[in-house]
Amino acid sequence: GFGCRPLDRPLDPWSFTVAMASTQPQMYGQPSSDPAAELQRQMATAAAQQAAQQGAQVASQKAKHGFYEIKAYIQENPGSVKVMCFLVGLTLLVFSILGVINPFAVFGTPKEYLANVYNIIFSVIICICEGKEDWMRSCGDLQGKLFQRCFFLATQTGRALFYFYVGSMTILLLPSGFIWTLIYIILGSCLCLLSLLMLFFAHCGRCRSNYGQMGGSSGQL
C-alpha cells in the first residue's frame, strides 16, 4: 500500500492559521473601508460640484452679457424702426412660449396651440431679421443664411408684408381673458403699424433718407 511520509518538521500553529485564513471565501459587495478609496470618492464629488457651480456661473454671465448687449443695441438706436420690430418680435416670442406652456389656462383649443407654435417660429425669424449683424455672425451667420434661402425677407417690402401677416394673425388669435387678449391685440397692431411704416419709407422717395436714419442698415435693402 501507499504509506504516508511523515513531516520533516512539526507544523507551526501561526503558519497554519494564516493558511486557513487565506482559504476562506472572499465576500463581495461589502462596503470598502479603504481610506484611499473614500478620499477618491470625496474628491470626485467635490470636483463634480465645482464643475456644476462653474457651469452655472458661466451661464449666468452669458445671460447678463446678452441682456447688456440688447440694452446697448436699443440705446444706440432709440428711434429705429429696426429696433422696434426686434423688440416686438422678442415680446411676441415670450408670450407665444407662455401660450404653448399655458400656465394660466388661457388657450384651450388645438388651433390656438398651433397658432402659438407658428408665432414662436415667426418671432424668431423677426428677431433674426432685425437683430444686430454682429450677433447673427457670432451665431453662425443666421441672418445671412436666412436671407439667402428666403430672399423676400432681405427686401424691405418682403419683410413688411411678412410682418403684416404675422401681426394680423396675432390680432385674430384672441385668447380667453381680457389682459391676454389686450396683449395680443397690442402686439399684432404694433407689427401691422411697423410694417406699414416700412412700406411707406421704402416706397416714398423723400422719406428714404429719414428711414436710413431711423432704420440703420435695413433701409438700404
Side-chain angles (χ1 to χ4, degrees):
F2 295 95
C4 294
R5 183 180 178 182
L7 297 174
D8 295 334
R9 60 178 178 176
L11 183 62
D12 185 8
W14 173 252
S15 301
F16 178 77
T17 304
V18 172
M20 291 298 294
S22 63
T23 59
Q24 293 294 327
Q26 187 174 359
M27 301 297 293
Y28 294 97
Q30 297 290 339
S32 175
S33 59
D34 186 4
E38 184 66 25
L39 180 61
Q40 288 180 354
R41 283 195 295 269
Q42 292 178 358
M43 292 177 62
T45 303
Q49 292 177 351
Q50 185 177 4
Q53 291 176 356
Q54 290 178 351
Q57 290 176 357
V58 170
S60 176
Q61 291 175 357
K62 287 184 177 181
K64 289 180 180 178
H65 180 70
F67 172 77
Y68 290 135
E69 284 283 338
I70 294 175
K71 184 178 179 180
Y73 179 47
I74 295 170
Q75 290 175 349
E76 288 174 3
N77 305 279
S80 172
V81 174
K82 187 180 182 71
V83 172
M84 287 187 284
C85 291
F86 177 81
L87 289 177
V88 173
L90 190 62
T91 307
L92 180 62
L93 175 62
V94 172
F95 281 99
S96 298
I97 293 174
L98 288 176
V100 172
I101 300 173
N102 201 18
F104 306 105
V106 293
F107 298 99
T109 63
K111 181 181 69 174
E112 293 172 341
Y113 280 101
L114 186 61
N116 278 304
V117 172
Y118 287 154
N119 275 345
I120 291 175
I121 299 172
F122 294 154
S123 56
V124 169
I125 292 175
I126 293 173
C127 291
I128 293 175
C129 290
E130 306 299 345
K132 198 172 182 179
E133 293 181 0
D134 294 341
W135 304 344
M136 300 300 111
R137 280 195 293 266
S138 63
C139 296
D141 195 19
L142 290 176
Q143 193 176 76
K145 293 177 180 178
L146 178 65
F147 288 163
Q148 286 177 0
R149 289 166 173 76
C150 303
F151 181 72
F152 72 96
L153 292 175
T155 65
Q156 200 65 40
T157 302
R159 285 207 302 274
L161 294 176
F162 174 70
Y163 295 170
F164 188 85
Y165 166 74
V166 176
S168 60
M169 190 180 72
T170 303
I171 292 174
L172 297 176
L173 189 55
L174 298 177
S176 60
F178 175 75
I179 299 298
W180 282 82
T181 301
L182 184 63
I183 290 173
Y184 273 75
I185 289 176
I186 291 174
L187 290 174
S189 300
C190 287
L191 270 180
C192 291
L193 289 175
L194 288 171
S195 66
L196 293 177
L197 276 175
M198 292 167 67
L199 287 173
F200 179 74
F201 290 141
H203 296 281
C204 180
R206 291 180 299 176
C207 298
R208 286 184 180 178
S209 59
N210 295 333
Y211 182 80
Q213 296 176 355
M214 295 181 65
S217 61
S218 63
Q220 305 298 326
L221 296 176

